[in-house]
Amino acid sequence: MRWIYLIIPAVLLAAAVPAGDLTLGHFLLHFLTPAMAAVPLYLSIRAYRRAGGRRLLNLAAAFALLFAGQAALSLYMYTGAALYVSDIPLDHLLHFAAFVFFTAALLEGRP
């Protein structure tokens, strides 16, 4: 799986290729990020269903919020449609909540 690290330089190289309002790299970044966020979400849900526990539940919730935040950000980048909660963009709020759940998972005393 070491090839996965090659995605980073590929996106950076593609950032030099114009593609409408965004560069190809920017387009790829907002396509690949939610897709990649779905992988730990899937794995964390499987782990929680297999073993249970508050830590794994917090991790699954955190990855779900991270995925939702990335999807909201990508939707905004592609369509220009932004959702707000008061003056806070939805993706910011979802990412903040994800960090709360990640922190809760790390601070949980038992698995």
Side-chain angles (χ1 to χ4, degrees):
M1 281 300 254
R2 292 183 185 172
W3 59 266
I4 199 158
Y5 299 111
L6 296 175
I7 294 172
I8 299 168
V11 166
L12 291 174
L13 286 172
V17 179
D21 292 340
L22 302 175
T23 65
L24 180 60
H26 202 164
F27 175 81
L28 287 173
L29 179 78
H30 285 289
F31 175 77
L32 293 173
T33 304
M36 292 179 73
V39 174
L41 171 58
Y42 169 74
L43 294 174
S44 65
I45 290 171
R46 281 189 55 196
Y48 173 71
R49 291 183 69 192
R50 183 181 63 247
R54 189 172 290 222
R55 178 177 289 158
L56 291 174
L57 180 60
N58 280 326
L59 280 175
F63 282 122
L65 289 163
L66 180 65
F67 172 79
Q70 287 301 312
L73 179 58
S74 292
L75 178 68
Y76 168 71
M77 290 306 300
Y78 291 133
T79 66
L83 298 174
Y84 289 87
V85 176
S86 183
D87 68 336
I88 302 171
L90 181 61
D91 65 289
H92 288 41
L93 189 60
L94 291 169
H95 288 134
F96 171 74
F99 282 115
V100 170
F101 279 90
F102 278 128
T103 303
L106 291 172
L107 295 176
E108 185 62 41
R110 46 177 208 253

